[in-house]
Amino acid sequence: MIERSDINDNALEISSTAHTIRTLIHGDKTLFSAVDILKACGIKAPAKWMERNTSDRPDIVTAKFEYPVKTTQGYRRVKLNFVTGGVGKRLVKYTTCPNETKKWLLEEVLTYRATKAGRAPQEDEPIAEKKKAPVPKSPRPKEGGHQQEDRQHPA
């Protein structure tokens, strides 16, 4: 089921019987809450999981956007990390997500793209420029270390 927010037409929620993924339409891109994807996969502390497992991965790019959250006193805006469908699929693959949830996320949620006509396939475009992978340094011999001796061979 897909529900639009009462306060913001760009904020959607895609729900199953067990999980809800917050979705944001930003320009022509459909973005998905990284925390919601990880929670659906059974990760108990998704924010810490993101810190530990994605900080050195240039293929996992997130962006923070405000999302309207309904409270007992109305709506407030909370900053959440969002990812594209392609990055969301990578998050699912990096976790031990239950098969039923994995299928729902990969086939129904992360392929969603809102358009004026309804649903269209999601393109795997980055939100922002991808971080470049660090270039490995070539090992240099340590000073004072053992060096091979030149040997003279008799002729």
Coordinates of all heavy atoms in Angstrom, one line a residue, residues 57-107:
R57 N 32.8 2.6 2.1 CA 32.2 2.0 0.8 C 31.8 3.2 -0.1 O 30.7 3.8 0.2 CB 31.1 1.1 1.1 CG 31.5 -0.1 1.9 CD 30.5 -1.2 1.8 NE 30.4 -1.6 0.4 CZ 30.8 -2.7 -0.1 NH1 31.4 -3.6 0.7 NH2 30.6 -3.0 -1.4
P58 N 32.5 3.5 -1.1 CA 32.1 4.5 -2.0 C 30.8 4.2 -2.8 O 30.2 5.1 -3.4 CB 33.3 4.7 -2.9 CG 34.0 3.4 -2.9 CD 33.8 2.8 -1.5
D59 N 30.4 2.9 -2.8 CA 29.2 2.6 -3.6 C 27.9 2.8 -2.8 O 26.8 2.6 -3.3 CB 29.3 1.1 -4.1 CG 29.4 0.1 -3.0 OD1 30.0 0.5 -1.9 OD2 29.0 -1.0 -3.1
I60 N 28.0 3.2 -1.5 CA 26.9 3.5 -0.6 C 26.9 5.0 -0.4 O 27.6 5.5 0.4 CB 26.9 2.7 0.7 CG1 27.0 1.2 0.5 CG2 25.7 3.1 1.6 CD1 25.8 0.6 -0.1
V61 N 26.0 5.7 -1.1 CA 25.9 7.1 -1.0 C 24.6 7.5 -0.4 O 23.6 7.0 -0.9 CB 26.1 7.8 -2.4 CG1 26.0 9.3 -2.3 CG2 27.4 7.4 -3.0
T62 N 24.6 8.3 0.6 CA 23.3 8.7 1.3 C 23.2 10.2 1.2 O 24.2 10.9 1.0 CB 23.2 8.2 2.7 OG1 24.2 8.9 3.5 CG2 23.3 6.7 2.8
A63 N 22.0 10.7 1.4 CA 21.8 12.2 1.5 C 20.8 12.4 2.5 O 19.8 11.7 2.6 CB 21.4 12.8 0.1
K64 N 20.9 13.5 3.4 CA 20.0 13.8 4.4 C 18.9 14.8 3.9 O 19.3 15.8 3.2 CB 20.7 14.4 5.6 CG 21.3 13.4 6.5 CD 21.6 14.1 7.9 CE 22.3 13.1 8.7 NZ 21.5 12.4 9.7
F65 N 17.7 14.4 4.1 CA 16.6 15.3 3.7 C 15.6 15.3 4.9 O 15.5 14.4 5.6 CB 15.8 14.8 2.5 CG 16.7 14.9 1.2 CD1 17.3 13.8 0.7 CD2 16.8 16.1 0.6 CE1 18.0 13.9 -0.5 CE2 17.6 16.2 -0.6 CZ 18.2 15.1 -1.1
E66 N 14.8 16.4 5.0 CA 13.8 16.5 6.0 C 12.6 15.7 5.5 O 12.2 15.7 4.3 CB 13.4 18.0 6.2 CG 14.4 18.7 7.0 CD 14.0 20.1 7.3 OE1 13.0 20.6 6.8 OE2 14.6 20.7 8.2
Y67 N 11.9 15.0 6.5 CA 10.8 14.2 6.2 C 9.7 14.5 7.2 O 10.0 14.6 8.4 CB 11.2 12.7 6.3 CG 10.1 11.8 5.7 CD1 10.0 11.5 4.4 CD2 9.1 11.2 6.6 CE1 9.0 10.7 3.9 CE2 8.1 10.4 6.1 CZ 8.1 10.1 4.7 OH 7.1 9.3 4.2
P68 N 8.4 14.7 6.8 CA 7.4 15.1 7.8 C 7.0 13.8 8.6 O 6.7 12.8 8.1 CB 6.2 15.6 7.0 CG 6.5 14.9 5.6 CD 7.9 14.7 5.5
V69 N 7.0 13.9 9.9 CA 6.6 12.8 10.8 C 5.4 13.3 11.7 O 5.5 14.4 12.3 CB 7.8 12.4 11.8 CG1 7.4 11.4 12.7 CG2 9.0 11.9 10.9
K70 N 4.4 12.5 11.7 CA 3.2 12.8 12.4 C 3.4 12.5 13.9 O 3.8 11.4 14.2 CB 2.0 12.1 11.9 CG 0.7 12.6 12.3 CD -0.5 11.9 11.6 CE -1.8 12.6 11.9 NZ -2.9 12.1 11.0
T71 N 3.1 13.5 14.7 CA 3.1 13.3 16.2 C 1.8 13.6 16.8 O 0.8 13.9 16.0 CB 4.2 14.3 16.8 OG1 3.7 15.6 16.6 CG2 5.5 14.1 16.2
T72 N 1.6 13.4 18.1 CA 0.3 13.7 18.7 C 0.0 15.2 18.6 O -1.2 15.5 18.7 CB 0.3 13.3 20.2 OG1 1.4 13.9 20.8 CG2 0.5 11.8 20.3
Q73 N 0.9 16.0 18.4 CA 0.7 17.5 18.4 C 0.8 18.0 17.0 O 1.0 19.2 16.8 CB 1.7 18.2 19.3 CG 1.5 17.8 20.7 CD 2.5 18.4 21.7 OE1 3.4 19.1 21.2 NE2 2.3 18.1 22.9
G74 N 0.7 17.2 16.0 CA 0.8 17.7 14.6 C 2.0 17.0 13.9 O 2.4 15.9 14.2
Y75 N 2.6 17.8 12.9 CA 3.7 17.3 12.2 C 5.0 18.0 12.6 O 4.9 19.2 12.9 CB 3.5 17.5 10.7 CG 2.6 16.5 10.0 CD1 1.2 16.7 9.9 CD2 3.1 15.3 9.5 CE1 0.4 15.8 9.3 CE2 2.3 14.4 8.9 CZ 0.9 14.6 8.8 OH 0.1 13.7 8.2
R76 N 6.1 17.3 12.5 CA 7.4 17.9 12.7 C 8.3 17.3 11.6 O 8.0 16.2 11.1 CB 8.0 17.7 14.1 CG 8.3 16.3 14.4 CD 8.8 16.2 15.9 NE 9.2 14.9 16.2 CZ 10.4 14.5 16.4 NH1 11.4 15.4 16.4 NH2 10.7 13.3 16.7
R77 N 9.3 18.0 11.3 CA 10.3 17.6 10.2 C 11.5 16.9 10.9 O 12.1 17.5 11.8 CB 10.6 18.7 9.3 CG 9.4 19.2 8.5 CD 9.9 20.2 7.5 NE 8.8 20.6 6.6 CZ 8.4 19.9 5.6 NH1 9.0 18.8 5.2 NH2 7.4 20.3 4.8
V78 N 11.9 15.8 10.4 CA 13.0 15.0 10.9 C 14.0 14.8 9.8 O 13.5 14.4 8.7 CB 12.6 13.7 11.6 CG1 13.8 12.9 12.0 CG2 11.6 13.9 12.7
K79 N 15.3 15.0 10.0 CA 16.3 14.7 8.9 C 16.6 13.2 8.9 O 16.9 12.6 10.0 CB 17.5 15.5 9.2 CG 17.4 16.9 8.8 CD 18.7 17.6 8.6 CE 18.4 19.0 8.1 NZ 19.6 19.6 7.6
L80 N 16.4 12.6 7.8 CA 16.7 11.2 7.6 C 17.7 11.0 6.4 O 17.7 11.8 5.5 CB 15.4 10.4 7.2 CG 14.3 10.5 8.2 CD1 13.0 9.8 7.7 CD2 14.7 9.7 9.5
N81 N 18.4 9.9 6.5 CA 19.3 9.5 5.4 C 18.5 8.7 4.3 O 17.8 7.7 4.7 CB 20.4 8.6 5.9 CG 21.5 9.3 6.5 OD1 21.9 10.4 6.0 ND2 22.1 8.9 7.5
F82 N 18.6 9.2 3.1 CA 17.9 8.6 2.0 C 18.8 8.0 1.0 O 20.0 8.6 0.8 CB 16.9 9.6 1.3 CG 15.7 9.8 2.1 CD1 15.6 10.8 3.1 CD2 14.5 9.0 2.0 CE1 14.5 11.1 3.8 CE2 13.4 9.2 2.7 CZ 13.4 10.3 3.6
V83 N 18.4 7.0 0.3 CA 19.3 6.4 -0.8 C 18.4 6.2 -2.0 O 17.2 6.1 -2.0 CB 19.8 5.0 -0.3 CG1 20.8 5.2 0.8 CG2 18.8 4.0 0.1
T84 N 19.1 6.0 -3.2 CA 18.4 5.7 -4.4 C 18.0 4.2 -4.4 O 18.5 3.4 -3.5 CB 19.3 5.9 -5.6 OG1 20.4 5.1 -5.5 CG2 19.7 7.4 -5.8
G85 N 17.2 3.8 -5.3 CA 16.8 2.4 -5.4 C 18.0 1.4 -5.5 O 18.1 0.4 -4.9
G86 N 19.0 1.8 -6.4 CA 20.2 1.0 -6.6 C 21.0 0.8 -5.3 O 21.5 -0.3 -5.0
V87 N 21.2 1.9 -4.5 CA 21.9 1.8 -3.3 C 21.1 1.0 -2.3 O 21.7 0.2 -1.5 CB 22.3 3.2 -2.7 CG1 22.9 3.2 -1.4 CG2 23.2 3.9 -3.7
G88 N 19.8 1.2 -2.3 CA 18.9 0.4 -1.4 C 19.1 -1.1 -1.6 O 19.1 -1.9 -0.7
K89 N 19.2 -1.5 -2.9 CA 19.3 -2.9 -3.3 C 20.7 -3.4 -2.7 O 20.7 -4.5 -2.3 CB 19.3 -3.1 -4.8 CG 17.9 -2.9 -5.4 CD 17.9 -2.9 -6.9 CE 16.5 -2.6 -7.4 NZ 16.5 -2.6 -8.9
R90 N 21.7 -2.6 -2.8 CA 23.0 -3.0 -2.2 C 22.9 -3.2 -0.7 O 23.5 -4.1 -0.2 CB 24.1 -1.9 -2.6 CG 24.6 -2.1 -4.0 CD 25.8 -1.2 -4.2 NE 25.5 -0.7 -5.6 CZ 25.3 0.6 -5.9 NH1 25.2 1.5 -5.0 NH2 25.0 0.9 -7.1
L91 N 22.2 -2.3 0.0 CA 22.0 -2.4 1.4 C 21.3 -3.8 1.7 O 21.7 -4.5 2.7 CB 21.2 -1.3 2.0 CG 21.8 0.1 2.1 CD1 20.8 1.1 2.6 CD2 23.1 0.1 2.9
V92 N 20.3 -4.1 1.0 CA 19.6 -5.4 1.2 C 20.6 -6.6 1.0 O 20.6 -7.5 1.8 CB 18.4 -5.5 0.2 CG1 17.8 -6.9 0.3 CG2 17.3 -4.5 0.6
K93 N 21.4 -6.5 0.0 CA 22.3 -7.6 -0.3 C 23.4 -7.7 0.7 O 23.9 -8.8 0.9 CB 22.9 -7.4 -1.7 CG 21.9 -7.6 -2.8 CD 22.4 -7.4 -4.2 CE 21.3 -7.5 -5.2 NZ 21.7 -7.1 -6.5
Y94 N 23.8 -6.6 1.4 CA 24.8 -6.7 2.4 C 24.3 -7.2 3.8 O 25.1 -7.4 4.7 CB 25.4 -5.3 2.7 CG 26.2 -4.7 1.5 CD1 26.2 -3.4 1.2 CD2 26.8 -5.6 0.6 CE1 26.9 -2.8 0.2 CE2 27.5 -5.0 -0.5 CZ 27.5 -3.7 -0.7 OH 28.2 -3.2 -1.8
T95 N 23.0 -7.4 3.9 CA 22.4 -7.9 5.2 C 21.9 -9.3 5.0 O 21.8 -9.8 3.9 CB 21.2 -7.0 5.6 OG1 20.2 -7.1 4.6 CG2 21.7 -5.5 5.8
T96 N 21.6 -9.9 6.1 CA 21.0 -11.2 6.1 C 19.5 -11.0 6.2 O 18.8 -11.4 7.2 CB 21.5 -12.1 7.3 OG1 21.3 -11.4 8.5 CG2 22.9 -12.4 7.1
C97 N 18.9 -10.4 5.2 CA 17.5 -10.1 5.1 C 16.7 -11.4 4.9 O 17.0 -12.2 4.1 CB 17.3 -9.1 4.0 SG 15.8 -8.2 4.1
P98 N 15.6 -11.6 5.6 CA 14.7 -12.7 5.4 C 14.2 -12.7 3.9 O 14.0 -11.7 3.3 CB 13.5 -12.5 6.3 CG 14.0 -11.6 7.4 CD 15.1 -10.7 6.7
N99 N 14.1 -13.9 3.3 CA 13.8 -14.0 1.9 C 12.5 -13.3 1.5 O 12.5 -12.7 0.5 CB 13.7 -15.5 1.5 CG 15.1 -16.1 1.4 OD1 16.1 -15.4 1.2 ND2 15.2 -17.4 1.6
E100 N 11.5 -13.4 2.3 CA 10.2 -12.8 2.0 C 10.3 -11.3 2.0 O 9.9 -10.6 1.0 CB 9.1 -13.2 3.0 CG 7.7 -12.7 2.7 CD 6.7 -13.2 3.7 OE1 6.7 -14.4 4.0 OE2 5.9 -12.3 4.1
T101 N 11.0 -10.7 3.0 CA 11.3 -9.3 3.0 C 12.2 -8.8 1.9 O 11.9 -7.8 1.3 CB 11.9 -8.9 4.4 OG1 11.0 -9.4 5.4 CG2 12.1 -7.4 4.5
K102 N 13.2 -9.6 1.6 CA 14.1 -9.3 0.5 C 13.4 -9.2 -0.8 O 13.6 -8.3 -1.5 CB 15.2 -10.4 0.5 CG 16.3 -10.1 -0.6 CD 17.3 -11.2 -0.7 CE 18.3 -11.1 0.3 NZ 19.4 -12.1 0.1
K103 N 12.5 -10.2 -1.0 CA 11.8 -10.2 -2.3 C 10.9 -8.9 -2.4 O 10.8 -8.3 -3.4 CB 10.9 -11.5 -2.4 CG 10.2 -11.6 -3.7 CD 9.4 -12.9 -3.7 CE 8.6 -12.9 -5.1 NZ 7.8 -14.0 -5.2
W104 N 10.2 -8.6 -1.3 CA 9.3 -7.4 -1.2 C 10.1 -6.2 -1.5 O 9.7 -5.3 -2.3 CB 8.6 -7.4 0.1 CG 7.7 -6.1 0.3 CD1 6.6 -5.8 -0.3 CD2 8.0 -5.0 1.2 NE1 6.1 -4.6 0.1 CE2 7.0 -4.1 1.0 CE3 9.0 -4.8 2.1 CZ2 6.9 -2.9 1.7 CZ3 8.9 -3.6 2.8 CH2 7.9 -2.7 2.6
L105 N 11.2 -6.0 -0.8 CA 12.1 -4.8 -1.0 C 12.6 -4.7 -2.4 O 12.5 -3.7 -3.1 CB 13.2 -4.8 0.0 CG 12.9 -4.5 1.4 CD1 14.1 -4.8 2.3 CD2 12.5 -3.0 1.6
L106 N 13.2 -5.8 -3.0 CA 13.8 -5.8 -4.3 C 12.8 -5.7 -5.4 O 13.1 -5.0 -6.4 CB 14.7 -7.0 -4.5 CG 15.9 -7.1 -3.5 CD1 16.7 -8.4 -3.8 CD2 16.8 -5.9 -3.7
E107 N 11.7 -6.3 -5.3 CA 10.7 -6.3 -6.4 C 9.6 -5.3 -6.4 O 9.2 -4.8 -7.4 CB 10.1 -7.7 -6.5 CG 11.1 -8.8 -6.9 CD 10.5 -10.2 -6.9 OE1 9.3 -10.3 -6.8 OE2 11.3 -11.2 -7.1

